[in-house]
Amino acid sequence: MNRFKTSKFKNTTPKIAKKDGWICNIRAGNVQSLGNHIKASSELVAFNIDQAGGGMLGVTSVSPAADGKWTISQLPCHGDLVTDLDFSPFDDALLATCSADETVKLWRLCSPEKDQPGGPELTLSPGLGRLELVLFHPTSSGLLAVGAAQTALLWDTSRQDAPLAVLEQHDDKLQSLSWKQDGSLLASSCLDKMLRVFDPRAQLTPVQSVKNVHSSKGSRALWARDDYLLTTDTHRGREVRLWDSRKLGSALGSVSVSDSSGPNLPAPRPRSGPGWGAEPLAPSPPSVTDTVSLRDEVQI
């Protein structure tokens, strides 16, 4: 009996949208940060643009106007580079940004045809220097994870005076943060080559950790499905690894996706539309071929 099954995605090819569906003439620049440079809700898209020293964002709609064109408005939001941004899962118009100016801000965006707000709804100043990462909690409205240097902290936006929790300091620079879909766990990758999993409700120290990458150049961690994590690094062909968060002793499998020396930036695709949930993971641990199959919900 063959132990391995053939991936149903082995012959897939990318489908590039027609040019009339492109949003063109955007000067994105060369943003030097660890966070996201473009994020979308179901209605709006926000992205870094090469103006105001990187402290400005462009805002447009997901769908074009009646004339088939997109309107792009500008949001001057920080005095220095915008290092990360994230839309609230509970409000399509609520955007969180963090910056090298050491602040986190919440913005109530409007349609790109209108002028964007002149100021934020909320400003947080953790006092930890340059901020690199900001991420809304997936199930608790108003809760943010914020990454700065070697520190990850949780902030309840209804309490501006102090963070809700400060997790144990990492041994080197934080590179990514990712919430599990139910919000119970928070994963981090770090320049010290470690993958850590936190349960912030139980303790401030990691509940599990493991050496994740061979290269310290760049790594990312992302919850893929249920208890499984994906990590990427730049070693040996930009390797993608699959982990079971319940036992991080060793990776369940790995695959090399490219010979490029640049970092992989995995982006989750929401579970929606026909076909999602039709093939749940089997009770037994996934094989290496299952790692490849997870590409249907993680775009590299």
Side-chain angles (χ1 to χ4, degrees):
M1 179 178 174
N2 192 347
R3 293 175 53 204
F4 303 102
K5 62 180 179 180
T6 302
S7 171
K8 62 182 178 180
F9 303 101
K10 69 174 184 177
N11 296 319
T12 57
T13 57
K15 183 178 180 181
I16 301 175
K18 295 180 180 179
K19 284 194 175 182
D20 57 8
W22 295 8
I23 303 175
C24 303
N25 302 319
I26 296 173
R27 294 182 59 193
N30 184 21
V31 181
Q32 299 295 322
S33 72
L34 299 172
N36 296 284
H37 309 314
I38 180 170
K39 268 299 183 76
S41 67
S42 63
E43 296 180 1
L44 298 171
V45 182
F47 49 89
N48 290 87
I49 56 177
D50 191 18
Q51 293 187 35
M56 186 176 292
L57 295 178
V59 179
T60 190
S61 56
V62 171
S63 302
D67 59 2
K69 297 181 180 180
W70 279 268
T71 299
I72 299 174
S73 59
Q74 296 181 342
L75 176 68
C77 47
H78 286 276
D80 206 333
L81 176 68
V82 178
T83 52
D84 198 9
L85 59 156
D86 193 33
F87 276 99
S88 167
F90 301 94
D91 188 335
D92 288 332
L94 186 61
L95 179 73
T97 61
C98 69
S99 169
D101 69 5
E102 306 182 14
T103 63
V104 174
K105 296 182 180 181
L106 294 186
W107 302 89
R108 176 71 54 186
L109 303 184
C110 56
S111 168
E113 288 76 19
K114 302 177 181 178
D115 292 334
Q116 294 300 330
E121 284 197 347
L122 176 70
T123 299
L124 304 175
S125 300
L128 297 174
R130 172 180 167 130
L131 304 179
E132 288 286 354
L133 304 166
V134 63
L135 188 63
F136 273 105
H137 192 278
T139 62
S140 180
S141 177
L143 183 61
L144 292 170
V146 179
Q150 298 170 240
T151 304
L153 51 88
L154 307 183
W155 210 299
D156 182 350
T157 56
S158 65
R159 299 170 50 192
Q160 302 180 35
D161 53 337
L164 186 65
V166 179
L167 303 182
E168 182 182 64
Q169 184 168 302
H170 292 60
D171 294 332
D172 211 320
K173 189 175 184 179
L174 266 172
Q175 294 182 312
S176 70
L177 293 171
S178 179
W179 285 109
K180 189 178 179 182
Q181 289 89 339
D182 64 5
S184 61
L185 300 174
L186 179 69
S188 71
S189 65
C190 180
L191 200 61
D192 65 3
K193 307 180 184 180
M194 297 293 291
L195 170 66
R196 295 173 173 85
V197 175
F198 293 87
D199 182 352
R201 298 170 302 176
Q203 59 191 60
L204 301 180
T205 56
V207 292
Q208 289 201 70
S209 62
V210 67
K211 184 177 180 181
N212 167 35
V213 298
H214 298 278
S215 169
S216 61
K217 182 177 180 180
S219 67
R220 298 291 187 273
L222 179 73
W223 288 96
R225 186 189 295 170
D226 302 322
D227 294 303
Y228 298 102
L229 279 159
L230 283 179
T231 60
T232 67
D233 67 47
T234 57
H235 179 70
R236 294 186 302 182
R238 303 170 79 199
E239 194 171 57
V240 179
R241 295 183 181 183
L242 178 68
W243 305 82
D244 186 339
S245 64
R246 296 163 296 186
K247 43 184 178 180
L248 283 182
S250 61
L252 298 175
S254 64
V255 62
S256 295
V257 297
S258 166
D259 293 328
S260 170
S261 60
N264 286 327
L265 300 176
R269 188 175 70 183
R271 295 186 184 182
S272 61
W276 286 106
E279 298 184 47
L281 286 174
S284 57
S287 66
V288 176
T289 54
D290 293 317
T291 307
V292 180
S293 297
L294 281 173
R295 290 180 187 171
D296 71 330
E297 75 177 77
V298 180
Q299 302 166 356
I300 304 293

